[in-house]
Amino acid sequence: MLKPTSPAQYELEMVTLEQLVPKDHLLRLIDRHISFGFIRERAAHLYCADNGRPAVDPELLFKMLFIGYLFGIRSERQLVREIQVNVAYRWFLGLRLTDKVPDASTLSQNRRRRFTGTDIEQIIFDEIVEQAIKHGLIGGRVFYTDSTHLKASANKNRYELHQVEQKPSEYLAELNAAVEADRLAHGKKPLKDHEDDDSDSGKEIKVSPVDPDAGYMVRDGKPTGFFYLDHRTVDGVHALITDTHITPGNVHDSQPYLSRLDRMKQRFGFDIAVAGLDAGYFTPMICKGLIEREVYGVMGYRRPNHKDGYFYKREYRYDPERDGYVCPNGEFLGYRTTNRMGYREYASTAASCTNCPMKGQCTQSRNGVKVITRHVWEEYKEEIDAHRLTDKGKELYKRRKETVERSFADAKELHGHRYARFRGLAKVKAQALLAAACQNMKKMAMLLEAALLAAFLPQKLHQKLLEALQSVQDELDRLIGIPKLISA
């Protein structure tokens, strides 16, 4: 016999929000271990102290946004509807069951009128990182960096072609000085100044009419269209995010890297010892910058382009004493010049190649001369490349997939990081900073809760858990025992 139903929805119960929220709910853990009081203090200058009607508490506004990022709610209207019916969300925000939830327009208008042009999102992210440092969750020695794309809210088939001036790279002045010094050392005249030459002063790019800040991305193995790039750095111990930086999708990964590394060191005082990067960062500028900063760089390997039936470049041996290359047939390729791009050119003689039995595997040039290039900073690349072949380098690089790649996977799968929620570089930057802060809060709360629970375990289990939490740090400390890098 079934029990007769009763309209329980209309019954009165004596209950509090505290009773309705599970003890192990994520928001409970975050509220217990993360302090948010700094938000009111750091946003106070954005509010009028003695005029107008009382504003919605900035801590409440940002906590609402945190809920959206923590639980992957991309729409702010949907976020408000979820808060209205979810008691855990109301508990986290400090709202009663009957309190009115701030409208979605309150979030958007505060973003547009109050927070635009400020660095409040960066302040929040940095404060969360500092709390992680105080709790001892960031090692500050080993870091992994990578980038991922966020699809912009723009149709890839609708664009305008714009002619834009090519801005010189940050390292161009340093490279030019190195080129002139190298030419002088080889007895060559300085290159002519091409500042007045407008032939290469600009290039044509695709620009979205609805989101001009998005970059049209064309990369092997990646989708084509308008995207933003999130350049993210994580700590090697618990993969907590220590830096995130947004650029248009057509910016190379290596361009902002060194400046962001310096920003991390200056802002948080990290003593950076190791940097793990994928092959996209293997450029002369990055390698030189890491060695000059005494950072042990470990980078991935990308197989070079090669035409079947021809020798690999590695089969031509560089002779530093004679400053030239020796070909597989034993002939010497001597220095010819250093070009404006920073590459030394080494060339054979037509006489030595004319009757060479290996010519068909070497060159098809009309004049029968083989030319090999070598960057003026090639020795930095060779030193960094040698690290990946060592046992320490292999162990350090192996953790890259467990740290920064896992961080991006969680961001895309759980926190709505596949798409740019807004249009414009500044707004997407704010999205990336808040999403990264929420990922950090989630991981910090879980780690700190595990450490707190460990104190109540039996002695053996307590010790075992502490050893497990410490094992990653110990392993990285062991690997950091690397001889100090030489600086050219």
Side-chain angles (χ1 to χ4, degrees):
M1 177 179 176
L2 294 175
K3 184 178 180 180
T5 59
S6 60
Q9 298 94 324
Y10 300 98
E11 292 181 358
L12 292 177
E13 294 187 41
M14 296 294 291
V15 68
T16 64
L17 279 177
E18 182 69 22
Q19 294 173 277
L20 296 175
V21 181
K23 297 298 182 184
D24 60 349
H25 195 282
L26 175 62
L27 292 180
R28 271 194 184 276
L29 306 186
I30 291 175
D31 185 74
R32 182 180 302 146
H33 297 290
I34 308 296
S35 172
F36 296 106
F38 69 92
I39 296 178
R40 288 174 59 92
E41 178 184 344
R42 301 303 295 271
H45 68 285
L46 302 175
Y47 293 80
C48 183
D50 56 4
N51 195 14
R53 66 179 183 178
V56 178
D57 190 336
E59 184 177 334
L60 173 63
L61 289 178
F62 280 105
K63 277 188 168 183
M64 288 177 65
L65 295 177
F66 294 159
I67 290 172
Y69 287 108
L70 284 166
F71 298 99
I73 306 171
R74 290 177 52 204
S75 164
E76 289 179 352
R77 291 186 179 88
Q78 181 63 29
L79 172 62
V80 171
R81 289 192 289 267
E82 294 288 340
I83 294 172
Q84 287 172 348
V85 299
N86 192 308
V87 292
Y89 296 172
R90 284 181 172 271
W91 178 91
F92 181 66
L93 298 174
L95 297 176
R96 302 180 185 87
L97 282 173
T98 56
D99 283 347
K100 186 180 184 302
V101 179
D103 193 75
S105 63
T106 303
L107 295 172
S108 61
Q109 292 303 321
N110 272 274
R111 182 188 305 110
R112 291 171 55 191
R113 300 181 181 184
R114 198 187 305 276
F115 301 136
T116 295
T118 72
D119 60 348
I120 185 65
E121 293 88 0
Q122 184 73 61
I123 289 171
I124 291 172
F125 173 79
D126 288 350
E127 177 64 28
I128 297 301
V129 174
E130 287 184 338
Q131 290 188 31
I133 294 172
K134 290 176 183 177
H135 286 297
L137 299 177
I138 291 180
R141 299 280 284 158
V142 180
F143 294 93
Y144 297 91
T145 301
D146 202 355
S147 72
T148 192
H149 54 275
L150 286 78
K151 189 179 185 306
S153 180
N155 189 333
K156 68 178 181 180
N157 297 317
R158 291 183 175 273
Y159 56 84
E160 300 168 354
L161 296 177
H162 287 196
Q163 192 76 16
V164 297
E165 183 180 353
Q166 285 186 300
K167 296 180 181 179
S169 302
E170 294 180 7
Y171 81 111
L172 188 58
E174 187 178 359
L175 178 62
N176 287 340
V179 169
E180 294 306 320
D182 191 73
R183 290 180 64 85
L184 183 63
H186 285 91
K188 297 289 183 179
K189 295 180 180 180
L191 293 168
K192 293 181 180 179
D193 191 358
H194 282 193
E195 288 185 358
D196 299 328
D197 186 3
D198 296 332
S199 58
D200 294 326
S201 61
K203 66 175 182 178
E204 193 174 67
I205 64 169
K206 295 178 179 179
V207 177
S208 168
V210 297
D211 191 357
D213 289 346
Y216 194 86
M217 188 177 75
V218 180
R219 292 188 178 189
D220 292 338
K222 303 290 185 181
T224 300
F226 290 104
F227 290 87
Y228 289 95
L229 289 177
D230 180 4
H231 306 266
R232 177 176 290 189
T233 299
V234 304
D235 181 67
V237 180
H238 296 298
L240 288 169
I241 305 163
T242 54
D243 187 69
T244 183
H245 180 65
I246 294 294
T247 65
N250 53 4
V251 173
H252 193 272
D253 292 348
S254 64
Q255 288 191 20
Y257 176 69
L258 291 176
S259 62
R260 301 309 299 180
L261 199 69
D262 292 339
R263 195 261 175 193
M264 267 198 325
K265 186 173 183 178
Q266 180 181 3
R267 177 63 181 81
F268 302 114
F270 293 140
D271 182 16
I272 303 173
V274 176
L277 306 163
D278 71 7
Y281 295 84
F282 189 57
T283 66
M285 176 185 69
I286 298 296
C287 295
K288 180 175 183 292
L290 290 177
I291 291 175
E292 288 179 342
R293 289 164 175 79
E294 297 186 345
V295 175
Y296 188 89
V298 183
M299 300 191 190
Y301 175 75
R302 180 174 293 167
R303 185 175 297 174
N305 295 329
H306 177 254
K307 191 173 181 180
D308 291 340
Y310 286 81
F311 292 124
Y312 288 92
K313 184 178 179 179
R314 63 174 179 267
E315 297 180 74
Y316 296 82
R317 180 176 54 85
Y318 179 66
D319 186 346
E321 293 183 0
R322 294 191 290 171
D323 188 23
Y325 280 87
V326 179
C327 78
N329 197 38
E331 296 292 339
F332 184 72
L333 284 71
Y335 173 84
R336 186 168 73 177
T337 188
T338 303
N339 62 32
R340 195 177 300 275
M341 301 301 295
Y343 286 91
R344 299 173 188 153
E345 297 179 6
Y346 299 89
S348 64
T349 62
S352 63
C353 293
T354 301
N355 298 318
C356 178
M358 299 181 179
K359 182 179 178 181
Q361 298 173 267
C362 184
T363 181
Q364 284 185 332
S365 62
R366 292 183 179 180
N367 59 3
V369 173
K370 174 66 177 179
V371 178
I372 292 181
T373 59
R374 178 182 175 86
H375 201 276
V376 292
W377 293 335
E378 190 71 22
E379 64 271 16
Y380 296 104
K381 292 184 67 178
E382 291 174 347
E383 183 174 344
I384 292 293
D385 189 52
H387 294 165
R388 69 178 176 85
L389 301 176
T390 65
D391 291 339
K392 288 181 178 179
K394 291 176 182 178
E395 290 186 57
L396 285 165
Y397 190 77
K398 185 170 63 175
R399 276 197 48 80
R400 180 180 164 275
K401 65 177 181 293
E402 303 166 4
T403 52
V404 67
E405 289 189 4
R406 175 63 182 271
S407 179
F408 278 138
D410 286 347
K412 288 178 178 289
E413 192 69 21
L414 304 175
H415 304 288
H417 211 53
R418 296 184 187 276
Y419 303 95
R421 303 185 183 190
F422 310 101
R423 289 172 175 165
L425 188 66
K427 292 180 180 179
V428 178
K429 176 184 176 182
Q431 172 189 337
L433 285 166
L434 292 181
C438 288
Q439 277 190 260
N440 280 351
M441 286 188 277
K442 178 181 177 180
K443 182 163 288 188
M444 288 166 60
M446 296 176 73
L447 288 169
L448 293 172
E449 186 69 12
L452 186 64
L453 291 175
F456 298 97
L457 293 174
Q459 184 62 31
K460 289 185 178 180
L461 291 177
H462 181 200
Q463 186 63 30
K464 186 175 292 187
L465 181 56
L466 291 179
E467 290 174 357
L469 291 173
Q470 187 65 27
S471 62
V472 175
Q473 179 68 68
D474 292 342
E475 178 66 11
L476 289 176
D477 288 342
R478 180 183 69 80
L479 292 172
I480 290 174
I482 298 166
K484 197 169 185 178
L485 302 179
I486 61 169
S487 177

